[in-house]
Amino acid sequence: MARVARRSPLSPKGSSNASSEAAGKVDRSPPSAAARALQKMGLRTDWDLALHLPLRYEDHTRLTALADARDRQAIQFEAMVVAVEVSQRPRRQLRVTVDDGTDRCVLRFMVFYPSHQATLVVGARVRVRGDLHVSIWGLEMVHPSFTPAGGPLPQTLTPVYPATAGLPQAYLRKAVASGLHRALQHWTETVPDDFLRKIDAQRFYGMASSLLFLHNPPADADLVALQDRHHPAWGRLKVDELLAQQLAQCLSRRERDRLCAPVLAAAPDGHAPSVSLMQDFLKVLPFGLTAAQQRAVAEIQNDLARTRPMHRLLQGDVGAGKTVVAALAACVCMDAGWQCALMAPTEILANQHFTKLVGWLGPVLAARGQSVAWLTGSQKKKDRTEMLARIASGQAALVVGTHALIQEQVQFARLGLAVIDEQHRFGVAQRLALRDKLAGHGPAGTLAREPHLLMMTATPIPRTLAMSYYADLDVSTLDELPPGRTPVVTRVVSDERRDDVIGRIAAQVANGRQVYWVCPLIDEQADPDGEAHADSLLPAPSGPGKAGARAAGREALALRNVTATHAELSAALPDVRVALLHSRLPATDKQQVMEAFAKGETGVLVSTTVIEVGVDVPNASLMVIEHAERFGLSQLHQLRGRVGRGAAASACVLLYSPPLSPTGRERLKAMARTADGFEIARIDLALRGPGEFLGARQSGDAMLRFADLSSDEDLLEWARAVAPAMLDDYPDEARLHMDRWLGNRSDFLKA
Ligand code: ADP
Ligand code: MG
């Protein structure tokens, strides 16, 4: 039973006193279980506890007269017990009638213990807290908490903390209060005063006042401002957190300045071959580069010619033509006599890149006695062994693959450039692992310790995110699409009009066009984007966990699955070849299905989101997305980007199952309204937070907990400005500050 804290648990006196008070509670819920639950929540240090902030607050600071209370109001009152009865009907329960002089109230307990009956005896005065129900039969409270009446009321609001099963609020409150108390005792200021003075003083309190306020605000606190985090009590946490993040970014940038990468430029030292791959490639390319592509290539070339490892993000909306830019960067690297690795998140995409690159570069490389190697998780052992040998000898100048590239056995002879396509689909650890492929393996006699790194993404990164998480990156942006594209027309259509949509498919196919039909899940157990880690070598990331998977499973029962849709379309369109693609198919089948579709042999491809990223079949002109309301906006944008790649007018149909929630409708309408990836990314950032951009599954640790990039841009600007000065002038404080806020997570901010 939760008891009213007698004193603010935050005053040092309250803390020490409260510990004896709490001892009884600890006995009732075995301390080991609750302590284990604390650990499981990641609340290990005093600082962890101090930063475990309330979800909401309860007001235990005053008493309300029963006569003044409203229905459903959460109130606290003191009253005298006037009747106690254990009734058996409708079920066994304890009914206690209390009277506060203004009205009577019945307290009902379906579960009760002898201790209840010991306190709740006729004539006793009790303090009761709970939700009041007012009905024609009078006032009632079900399972209220109660203590003997009297004693001082708390001066501050009572926090309700995020908890888990086996972790009672009373125990948690106690633990947080004492953790906070100790944390503040040992806390030293790390942020220099003259830096803090640059922020409007109205915006934040000192650290101690901030934390004390957030855990136990006064009864008259502005709860709305606390809730939406505009209250100055939040300011200092945001300031410190953003500063820690910027310090880590700045530091990793400086560390990179000291590292050495191979100089990838056609040097006159005999390394450069007489034939330039780059020139040959430009000759076979069936189109000219856009101005944006030329600019990006020049920026990359410039980086590659330096010993400082390149760390560049190439962002460009879907269809902007990033692959060609990557291929040209690979040429520069190979022309300088080094190997290039290209890693893609799915086998389908890696395969497509491989086919394209072999087509473009295969003959020229062969003439030089070199080749393009191919590595995936599903490869036959014999092929794999052969590929590994070619990579280790350097005979494979270009290596294309999935996560298999970062496996331990993969040893490059001279890795000069690593390209990561659709980088947001990879975890931080995976990106770091690819970068580490050169470390220690640089050829003897060179100083090279790091390959250059080029990351590509079609999920444009809003400015604030670029400034925070990607502060260590240089960015090239493809801000124009190749000429001759017709915009994709997007329609939001109810599933009730499914037959019309199927009719439209028939018309498209009759005109020689092809169609994608995307469904959310394979069947009740499927992971909607299982493909992303289907061939991962790393343990499946701890995401939402089993509970999440079960929930997804339940949801999926209600969804049309991809197999059923395939059958439905096959039946409805007897003259059309309808293919099926999902992540559970064996890799060779996937490959065959994709190849047949790319060649135009199949008219309709019914697929899960395995085709989400990168897939490029210019003849496809209609994209139908079933249960569009279940997808994130950036994901819809990616899917939509699979069409509109050729000259034909293309369309995207967002099918939804009515009824659609107002926000759901808003989101789909936004999709139909704009084709601008940046605009969509901004909407997505506002709706879903930064996870979509960062590959949340693996980098959740690097997330901001307190600051909000959409509303704290000015604080971010401040942190960015002061971080370099702090590293220079206050290195010890900077180190302490990063340790406190990031601990061992600072590594995760580097990639
Ligand atoms: P993304 O940026 O989404 O990865 P891709 O690299 O797959 O885009 O390119 C999309 C399509 O545009 C491909 O078919 C590609 O060959 C073509 N393409 C790329 N650059 C140009 C260009 N400058 N002119 C015409 N077509 C281009
Ligand atoms: Mg691509």
Side-chain angles (χ1 to χ4, degrees):
M1 189 65 37
R3 292 162 57 120
V4 180
R6 300 266 159 123
R7 240 178 234 107
S8 162
L10 292 172
S11 66
K13 237 167 111 201
S15 282
S16 53
N17 263 357
S19 65
S20 55
E21 238 175 64
K25 273 162 236 144
V26 177
D27 285 346
R28 252 169 283 160
S29 58
S32 56
R36 269 204 310 279
L38 267 192
Q39 290 270 325
K40 247 178 128 173
M41 287 194 80
L43 303 177
R44 298 189 173 86
T45 66
D46 290 338
W47 189 239
D48 292 337
L49 287 162
L51 293 182
H52 191 64
L53 297 177
L55 279 176
R56 59 187 176 83
Y57 304 97
E58 284 175 0
D59 188 351
H60 302 174
T61 64
R62 40 192 174 145
L63 301 172
T64 304
L66 282 173
D68 296 338
R70 298 182 315 270
D71 187 27
R72 290 161 202 260
Q73 193 182 354
I75 60 160
Q76 175 173 257
F77 65 96
E78 288 189 352
M80 169 101 71
V81 177
V82 293
V84 177
E85 163 199 17
V86 175
S87 66
Q88 302 296 337
R89 287 211 179 72
R91 49 182 283 199
R92 188 175 138 81
Q93 55 181 269
L94 175 66
R95 295 169 57 90
V96 179
T97 309
V98 295
D99 189 325
D100 77 343
T102 69
D103 206 340
R104 287 189 167 202
C105 180
V106 174
L107 316 180
R108 266 197 319 133
F109 300 89
M110 260 70 79
V111 179
F112 57 97
Y113 302 101
S115 59
H116 282 70
Q117 281 149 299
T119 310
L120 299 168
V121 288
V122 173
R125 280 189 61 78
V126 284
R127 183 179 291 173
V128 181
R129 202 174 55 244
D131 292 328
L132 191 71
H133 296 280
V134 182
S135 72
I136 46 167
W137 291 287
L139 308 183
E140 185 184 77
M141 266 188 190
V142 179
H143 281 209
S145 44
F146 59 92
T147 50
L153 289 165
Q155 300 295 304
T156 59
L157 298 181
T158 302
V160 179
Y161 292 107
T164 54
L167 192 54
Q169 277 294 325
Y171 182 90
L172 193 52
R173 272 180 201 142
K174 180 68 204 79
V176 169
S178 49
L180 173 64
H181 175 61
R182 285 189 304 268
L184 289 180
Q185 258 181 345
H186 297 124
W187 189 82
T188 50
E189 180 60 86
T190 44
V191 189
D193 238 9
D194 40 330
F195 290 174
L196 284 176
R197 272 199 294 273
K198 290 184 189 160
I199 317 172
D200 176 8
Q202 303 295 313
R203 291 211 50 182
F204 64 95
Y205 296 171
M207 182 58 79
S209 334
S210 277
L211 286 173
L212 293 172
F213 194 99
L214 289 172
H215 284 283
N216 291 80
D220 59 356
D222 179 351
L223 288 179
V224 175
L226 272 183
Q227 191 67 43
D228 66 19
R229 304 191 172 185
H230 289 128
H231 197 283
W234 280 102
R236 185 58 206 267
L237 298 188
K238 297 175 170 188
V239 161
D240 277 38
E241 181 180 47
L242 287 168
L243 180 59
Q245 190 205 39
Q246 292 300 308
L247 285 170
Q249 295 268 339
C250 187
L251 198 65
S252 88
R253 204 179 171 90
R254 288 180 179 191
E255 276 170 11
R256 187 154 60 88
D257 287 343
R258 286 196 291 273
L259 291 170
C260 198
V263 173
L264 303 180
D269 63 356
H271 264 309
S274 47
V275 211
S276 157
L277 266 175
M278 173 113 161
Q279 275 163 20
D280 286 337
F281 174 50
L282 287 173
K283 262 185 243 150
V284 297
L285 199 63
F287 45 75
L289 298 182
T290 63
Q293 284 171 322
Q294 282 170 13
R295 206 168 47 235
V297 171
E299 283 163 355
I300 291 167
Q301 240 174 327
N302 194 33
D303 285 359
L304 294 179
R306 301 197 297 172
T307 52
R308 176 180 196 271
M310 173 170 80
H311 208 178
R312 187 170 283 278
L313 181 71
L314 174 62
Q315 61 174 3
D317 213 340
V318 285
K322 295 181 289 292
T323 317
V324 178
V325 176
L328 285 163
C331 286
V332 174
C333 169
M334 293 184 288
D335 273 338
W338 290 73
Q339 286 171 298
C340 175
L342 171 60
M343 181 160 84
T346 68
E347 234 175 284
I348 288 174
L349 188 52
N351 195 284
Q352 180 183 291
H353 284 327
F354 177 72
T355 313
K356 227 178 215 175
L357 291 167
V358 167
W360 282 335
L361 300 169
V364 203
L365 281 174
R368 292 163 52 165
Q370 292 185 313
S371 67
V372 185
W374 162 245
L375 268 188
T376 70
S378 66
Q379 213 157 19
K380 287 208 192 72
K381 187 144 190 288
K382 185 167 148 281
D383 295 345
R384 181 181 191 75
T385 316
E386 194 210 314
M387 293 295 173
L388 288 176
R390 277 159 55 182
I391 296 167
S393 72
Q395 194 270 346
L398 181 56
V399 185
V400 182
T402 57
H403 310 68
L405 282 182
I406 53 176
Q407 239 186 349
E408 217 175 297
Q409 310 96 288
V410 186
Q411 297 237 342
F412 288 86
R414 329 161 37 87
L415 180 62
L417 169 66
V419 183
I420 302 181
D421 195 17
E422 308 293 349
Q423 67 89 27
H424 66 288
R425 300 284 298 251
F426 288 98
V428 174
Q430 293 167 321
R431 295 194 290 245
L432 282 173
L434 187 56
R435 238 170 73 186
D436 282 346
K437 277 292 172 196
L438 183 59
H441 296 296
T446 68
L447 286 170
R449 276 286 166 273
E450 282 261 316
H452 295 281
L453 182 63
L454 175 64
M455 305 199 251
M456 308 202 284
T457 184
T459 303
I461 295 170
R463 204 179 86 85
T464 45
L465 265 188
M467 276 166 56
S468 50
Y469 291 100
Y470 294 98
D472 181 36
L473 279 186
D474 298 306
V475 178
S476 294
T477 304
L478 298 183
D479 53 6
E480 74 183 304
L481 295 179
R485 301 274 168 85
T486 44
V488 179
V489 176
T490 302
R491 293 261 179 276
V492 180
V493 177
S494 160
D495 192 58
E496 288 156 357
R497 290 178 45 208
R498 200 176 171 85
D499 292 343
D500 297 350
V501 175
I502 295 176
R504 231 173 124 177
I505 293 181
Q508 287 289 316
V509 177
N511 281 331
R513 300 282 162 209
Q514 290 167 281
V515 178
Y516 292 104
W517 183 298
V518 176
C519 305
L521 298 166
I522 305 181
D523 61 28
E524 53 274 21
Q525 277 105 44
D527 171 1
D529 44 15
E531 174 73 11
H533 49 82
D535 48 5
S536 170
L537 298 164
L538 301 173
S542 55
K546 283 206 183 105
R550 268 198 306 276
R554 273 197 307 275
E555 264 185 34
L557 281 176
L559 298 177
R560 256 169 220 281
N561 65 48
V562 69
T563 338
T565 304
H566 175 249
E568 177 194 359
L569 292 183
S570 302
L573 303 164
D575 303 330
V576 178
R577 293 188 60 181
V578 183
L580 172 64
L581 183 68
H582 56 72
S583 59
R584 298 252 183 108
L585 289 178
T588 47
D589 292 10
K590 270 191 249 178
Q591 201 170 317
Q592 272 164 17
V593 170
M594 251 348 271
E595 273 166 18
F597 191 69
K599 285 193 205 136
E601 291 168 7
T602 33
V604 180
L605 182 63
V606 179
S607 163
T608 56
T609 52
V610 293
I611 58 139
E612 174 188 335
V613 292
V615 169
D616 183 33
V617 179
N619 190 47
S621 59
L622 174 62
M623 161 71 62
V624 181
I625 304 172
E626 189 159 341
H627 284 293
E629 74 278 8
R630 311 231 164 199
F631 290 90
L633 289 189
S634 293
Q635 208 181 3
L636 287 176
H637 184 60
Q638 278 272 1
L639 286 166
R640 179 169 61 182
R642 298 311 109 216
V643 294
R645 304 191 143 231
S650 297
C652 174
V653 174
L654 303 175
L655 269 186
Y656 66 89
S657 306
L660 204 51
S661 72
T663 38
R665 180 172 301 275
E666 231 3 86
R667 294 171 68 239
L668 293 187
K669 269 164 79 182
M671 273 312 288
R673 198 172 52 234
T674 177
D676 176 354
F678 275 91
E679 177 62 23
I680 289 168
R682 264 192 300 277
I683 301 173
D684 228 18
L685 180 62
L687 286 173
R688 287 155 59 104
E692 185 84 354
F693 302 91
L694 297 172
R697 274 191 306 214
Q698 288 110 332
S699 56
D701 275 349
M703 295 289 173
L704 293 170
R705 289 171 64 193
F706 307 110
D708 174 353
L709 293 177
S710 54
S711 60
D712 300 321
E713 199 171 334
D714 54 336
L715 295 179
L716 176 60
E717 301 267 15
W718 166 86
R720 207 157 79 113
V722 303
M726 184 155 168
L727 284 173
D728 290 338
D729 303 339
Y730 303 90
D732 297 339
E733 286 85 351
R735 173 64 53 198
L736 185 60
H737 190 82
M738 279 187 282
D739 282 351
R740 179 183 291 160
W741 285 90
L742 303 171
N744 55 8
R745 289 178 298 141
S746 49
D747 235 21
F748 279 87
L749 289 167
K750 285 186 192 163

